[in-house]
Amino acid sequence: GHGAAGARRRRLSSRPSACDLLRVAHQQLVEAPGSYGAALPARVDRGREAAARLVSAQTAQRAARHRLVQARLQAVQARIDPQLLFDMLETVRRCYEDDASRAEQLLDELIAFLRAALPRLRSVSSSVPREVELARAYARLRALAGASDTGMTLDVPADLMDVRFPPGVLLPLLDDALRTHSGPCELSATRSSEHCRIVLKLPACPSSSAVARVRALLVDLHGASAELALANLNGSVSATVKVPYELA
């Protein structure tokens, strides 16, 4: 009796447990051809390849957008700089015939303007002091060229000297306004923790086409976080340009 019972216990102990059976079944399922487990490494590889393709496509898209924005910036600048240069050189030539002293002043201001303008010709980035200096030099050029009262007062705090500002934004507005009506201009700049604002007070409203070009440029550069707002102020017009606050 004892021998039969012992044999029975040995047979039971040699049988695989339920956990063993589940483990073996799981291993067979994983290793079976066409199973999810066997396909998992391939699926992981395909996922990595898809992610790499997505990153590459996004990088190419950003590069294409950068080229588009740069082309638009240069197109805006090209509308102003060559014509301005030709106009000013012709004015200098005429001034030398009538008023050599004024011609010398105009030439000095033209040189100052070109020094401010040349560094930004092929750049999609600039700074507050550079764009402010460009606007001031341009207003001075217009004053000398037309012997008018066009001038510009500035109010730019020191904490904006190292702040980014897009090129090709202020000058189209200033140029368009001063071509139709001369008069004094004001430029002030402020910032918050998120935005930088430059306000141009102009003697006339820029044309709708100039405003549209600048707004399109701001959208290209900064999306909805930048804007251009116009307001009438007792015979003058204020143009407020708001862009994200970024250090240069």
Side-chain angles (χ1 to χ4, degrees):
H2 290 292
R8 191 163 50 251
R9 283 196 297 272
R10 285 194 296 275
R11 286 196 300 273
L12 288 173
S13 63
S14 63
R15 290 178 183 176
S17 67
C19 289
D20 292 334
L21 291 173
L22 285 173
R23 190 178 300 110
V24 171
H26 179 266
Q27 187 65 27
Q28 291 174 343
L29 180 62
V30 168
E31 295 177 354
S35 69
Y36 176 82
L40 187 57
R43 293 189 180 190
V44 170
D45 289 342
R46 287 197 296 272
R48 287 174 179 169
E49 290 173 1
R53 287 194 299 271
L54 178 60
V55 170
S56 178
Q58 289 174 336
T59 301
Q61 186 179 35
R62 285 194 294 269
R65 184 176 181 83
H66 177 86
R67 290 192 296 270
L68 175 62
V69 170
Q70 190 170 29
R72 289 190 179 180
L73 274 171
Q74 291 173 1
V76 169
Q77 293 163 3
R79 290 188 181 99
I80 300 170
D81 297 340
Q83 187 60 48
L84 171 67
L85 183 58
F86 294 141
D87 289 349
M88 292 301 125
L89 289 174
E90 177 60 21
T91 303
V92 169
R93 187 191 65 79
R94 291 197 308 268
C95 279
Y96 269 112
E97 297 174 357
D98 303 325
D99 188 343
S101 176
R102 182 163 151 259
E104 291 289 343
Q105 285 184 294
L106 183 56
L107 193 57
D108 287 343
E109 289 297 332
L110 181 57
I111 291 171
F113 174 82
L114 291 174
R115 282 176 175 167
L118 289 176
R120 70 178 177 83
L121 287 180
R122 297 192 178 277
S123 174
V124 294
S125 180
S126 187
S127 64
V128 168
R130 183 179 294 172
E131 295 305 301
V132 167
E133 174 56 25
L134 193 63
R136 186 212 65 80
Y138 179 80
R140 181 65 178 159
L141 272 176
R142 280 292 172 198
L144 288 171
S148 66
D149 61 349
T150 298
M152 178 172 287
T153 58
L154 303 177
D155 181 12
V156 182
D159 63 352
L160 287 174
M161 291 298 103
D162 295 322
V163 175
R164 288 183 186 274
F165 199 83
V169 170
L170 299 180
L171 203 55
L173 302 173
L174 187 61
D175 173 73
D176 202 86
L178 293 182
R179 282 183 183 274
T180 59
H181 192 83
S182 63
C185 303
E186 297 177 12
L187 187 154
S188 61
T190 58
R191 77 167 181 89
S192 65
S193 59
E194 297 181 352
H195 294 101
C196 169
R197 287 180 175 83
I198 290 185
V199 180
L200 272 175
K201 187 176 179 182
L202 303 168
C205 186
S207 68
S208 58
S209 60
V211 171
R213 287 198 305 271
V214 170
R215 282 178 172 156
L217 188 60
L218 290 173
V219 169
D220 284 341
L221 289 169
H222 299 294
S225 59
E227 67 177 14
L228 165 62
L230 301 177
N232 291 316
L233 297 172
N234 299 323
S236 62
V237 174
S238 73
T240 302
V241 179
K242 181 185 79 172
V243 297
Y245 171 68
E246 299 173 347
L247 290 177

